[in-house]
Amino acid sequence: AGPVADTFKSLTRIVRLEPTEFFKQLIATDYSMFGGLVSEEDTDEAQSVGRANAGEAIAATPPADPGTTLGATTERLTWPKAGWALPAQDAAAKAAYATPWHKADSWAKGFLAEFMARPDQPFNEFTAFHHTLRHLPDHTALHLANSMAVRYANILGVPDAKSVEVFANRGTSGIDGCTSTAVGAALAQPERPVVLLTGDVAFFYDRNAFWQNYPTPNLRVVLFNNHGGGIFRLIDGPRQQPELEEFFETYQPLTAEHTARDFNLRYFTATTFDELKVALAVFFAPGSSAALLEITTDSQTNAAFFEHYRQAVRTSFV
């Protein structure tokens, strides 16, 4: 109902339909012509209800007869009902579909582990982020700030065995409120570790989040400080602009040491892989107060290394 935003100026059709009726029509449609899943609940009633509600908003041809694709006979893969097991041929079809994805996923994990283990890496935030994720405590509530923090985590993934729960929120300007959200979560869930991975612009923008009167000994903040909006060196468009350093990166010379002292946060720092290894070994251990680990890197080194990783993926994944 109501106006529909067309952000990318590419909207071609609006379907005015209740969601429940949309899904009734969806499961009643024969998708065998696309090699997809087909429901056994392909009843005339469901089809007529869906088409009646969709009206002229859906310019669709009538569904093909079950088991036919443009006149050719095809096998149908059906959804099992509660308590049912997939028939043998459907199980085989499912396995045939899933196998290439599992193979690609396994390759990606192996490639990432091998890439991160390569010697002689320059100290950079992408690899530092990787090491940090692998040191997360079990059952962590992981909060990710915007820009590169959430992108790095999406690329690298979190350890499956540690039952990490991920949270991310987007503010008006992309960065505001990330720290406040994590502090609030630590207050609301004092029994579990709450970890915030954040960049320097987001961190310093919202450092008054620590200005409250209640202890948060379960809170750990990892600050990746590259002294500016390093994301703009990593995405096409801004990184090609001559105004990059002055108007995109928002350079700042700050460190978080004074912030940690002002708000009684235990403070750790790392500028090399050796220092990071030592810090991570003790940073996540239980303590009497919240803790802050500041990882300082060079923005140009970060950009060059991340581009090296992306090129390695492009040339290795076949």
Side-chain angles (χ1 to χ4, degrees), residues 260-307:
R261 184 176 64 245
D262 289 344
F263 295 109
N264 194 31
L265 307 174
R266 292 181 292 124
Y267 180 67
F268 301 79
T269 184
T271 57
T272 67
F273 285 126
D274 288 339
E275 291 177 355
L276 179 61
K277 182 178 179 180
V278 171
L280 288 175
V282 295
F283 174 71
F284 289 114
S288 59
S289 62
L292 169 64
L293 168 60
E294 183 170 21
I295 301 173
T296 304
T297 60
D298 174 73
S299 186
Q300 295 188 34
T301 301
N302 295 335
F305 185 83
F306 190 62
E307 184 59 28

Side-chain angles (χ1 to χ4, degrees), residues 129-143:
F129 209 99
H130 171 76
H131 293 322
T132 302
L133 286 173
R134 266 116 199 97
H135 280 79
L136 293 175
D138 291 342
H139 306 294
T140 290
L142 176 62
H143 286 252

Side-chain angles (χ1 to χ4, degrees), residues 179-212:
T179 309
S180 293
T181 301
V183 171
L187 289 168
Q189 297 181 306
E191 73 288 348
R192 72 184 301 192
V194 176
V195 178
L196 169 65
L197 304 184
T198 182
D200 51 290
V201 178
F203 175 84
F204 291 118
Y205 187 95
D206 194 25
R207 58 183 164 183
N208 277 348
F210 302 110
W211 191 2
Q212 47 87 28

Side-chain angles (χ1 to χ4, degrees), residues 52-65:
N53 281 277
E56 294 182 357
I58 302 178
T61 58
D65 291 335

